[in-house]
Amino acid sequence: MVMVSKLDTVSVVMPVFNGESVIEKSIKETDKKLEDLNVSYEIIVVDDGSRDTTRKIVQSVKSSNVKVVSYDVNQGKGFALVTGAINAVSDYIVFMDGDGDLDTRVLGHFISALDNADIVVGSKRHPDSVVNVPVLRRFLSLGFNILVRLMTGIKLWDTQVGFKVFRRDALIDIMKLVSVRKYAFDVEILTIATLLKKRIVVVPVEINCNALFSVRNIVRMFVDILGIAYRLRIKKWYQKNHNKKNPGKYNPIIRW
């Protein structure tokens, strides 16, 4: 068993949209793993405007450690994660996708790695990762990450794994500059973290995923990355505002 040191409480934020087939299993597996780690914890499930029975299933889970935040209109993964983080009470916050793709057995390694980091991110390209995804998805992922590195200066080879752990103070510094609501949210938080010189540690993951990216989502992510690069390299909005206590939200030209 992984030993978790120096941690008193952990908040897991789990966004989900139309996840009726997987969300109950994801919650119960995460609940069991955190119980085994012998830490005080909460699991905040954010129902991001699901149109299936996800909300009903989540509300039926019997655990005092599970909290549910929900709203009626889908806003995007980034919005859901920020909403969950705002409702978290712990000094250590975990972002975890609710789709069941990631193996929760690695959760203890993520939390332990915070001993030497502000942020711990999972990477499919870590040499110890176990990854089962379609070849086309691998190819698109590699091209996407080359683009991200060129446009944002991020040194990581994988930004999109839905498993990240933050010290609360670091996350607060980052979130006040975030404007992206959907899938490029991960790119923006890591761009800001790099700019603010947060300590980032990369750890391996175990992931199984058969889904492919939709053309629509690829286009949206590309446009959002252009926006991030514009704010970073041309407008220098992040640099000008990161020391402000209340910088105010940046309003992108396109708000998905």
Side-chain angles (χ1 to χ4, degrees):
M1 178 183 292
V2 175
M3 298 302 295
V4 178
S5 61
K6 302 179 183 179
L7 297 180
D8 295 319
T9 59
V10 176
S11 293
V12 174
V13 179
M14 186 181 292
V16 60
F17 174 65
N18 291 347
E20 61 183 5
S21 64
V22 295
I23 189 59
E24 184 174 10
K25 179 181 178 182
S26 294
I27 294 171
K28 289 182 176 179
E29 287 184 351
T30 304
D31 194 19
K32 180 62 169 62
K33 184 60 182 176
L34 285 163
E35 185 178 340
D36 290 344
L37 290 176
N38 195 30
V39 296
S40 297
Y41 66 94
E42 61 177 357
I43 301 172
I44 302 173
V45 183
V46 183
D47 172 31
D48 186 22
S50 295
R51 294 188 284 269
D52 58 7
T53 61
T54 294
R55 187 179 305 184
K56 182 178 179 181
I57 292 170
V58 171
Q59 291 173 337
S60 71
V61 174
K62 304 300 182 183
S63 173
S64 60
N65 295 310
V66 177
K67 301 177 180 179
V68 183
V69 178
S70 59
Y71 38 86
D72 293 333
V73 179
N74 178 250
Q75 299 289 334
K77 175 184 171 182
F79 183 90
L81 288 170
V82 170
T83 300
I86 290 172
N87 284 275
V89 299
S90 305
D91 288 330
Y92 305 92
I93 299 175
V94 180
F95 285 174
M96 179 187 297
D97 283 353
D99 56 14
D101 287 342
L102 288 156
D103 193 323
T104 56
R105 288 179 297 175
V106 303
L107 181 56
H109 295 289
F110 273 69
I111 296 173
S112 295
L114 277 177
D115 283 349
N116 301 301
D118 297 308
I119 305 167
V120 181
V121 301
S123 174
K124 297 184 295 295
R125 296 181 64 82
H126 190 288
D128 295 328
S129 289
V130 178
V131 180
N132 180 24
V133 299
V135 174
L136 178 58
R137 187 182 177 102
R138 287 176 183 261
F139 176 77
L140 291 173
S141 179
L142 177 59
F144 174 80
N145 281 288
I146 291 173
L147 175 67
V148 166
R149 286 167 65 93
L150 289 173
M151 297 190 72
T152 68
I154 293 176
K155 301 302 182 185
L156 304 173
W157 275 109
D158 191 356
T159 60
Q160 298 308 110
V161 168
F163 215 170
K164 296 177 177 66
V165 186
F166 302 82
R167 291 183 178 272
R168 186 185 185 87
D169 56 352
L171 184 58
I172 289 173
D173 284 346
I174 293 166
M175 283 199 332
K176 67 184 183 181
L177 297 173
V178 167
S179 63
V180 173
R181 290 187 175 188
K182 293 190 180 290
Y183 298 105
F185 172 81
D186 299 87
V187 174
E188 187 171 38
I189 60 173
L190 292 174
T191 297
I192 297 168
T194 300
L195 177 67
L196 299 183
K197 301 187 185 305
K198 302 299 183 183
R199 297 172 299 163
I200 303 174
V201 169
V202 177
V203 297
V205 293
E206 297 180 30
I207 184 169
N208 290 280
C209 181
N210 294 316
L212 292 174
F213 301 108
S214 72
V215 173
R216 181 184 183 187
N217 287 338
I218 290 173
V219 172
R220 285 184 168 186
M221 290 181 73
F222 178 70
V223 172
D224 279 343
I225 291 168
L226 287 177
I228 293 167
Y230 172 75
R231 291 190 289 281
L232 176 70
R233 299 193 181 278
I234 299 175
K235 197 172 182 66
K236 299 192 182 297
W237 185 86
Y238 301 121
Q239 294 90 325
K240 293 175 182 176
N241 286 277
H242 77 270
N243 284 324
K244 295 181 180 178
K245 186 175 182 180
N246 296 300
K249 288 296 182 182
Y250 183 91
N251 293 313
I253 294 174
I254 299 177
R255 172 66 79 185
W256 305 113

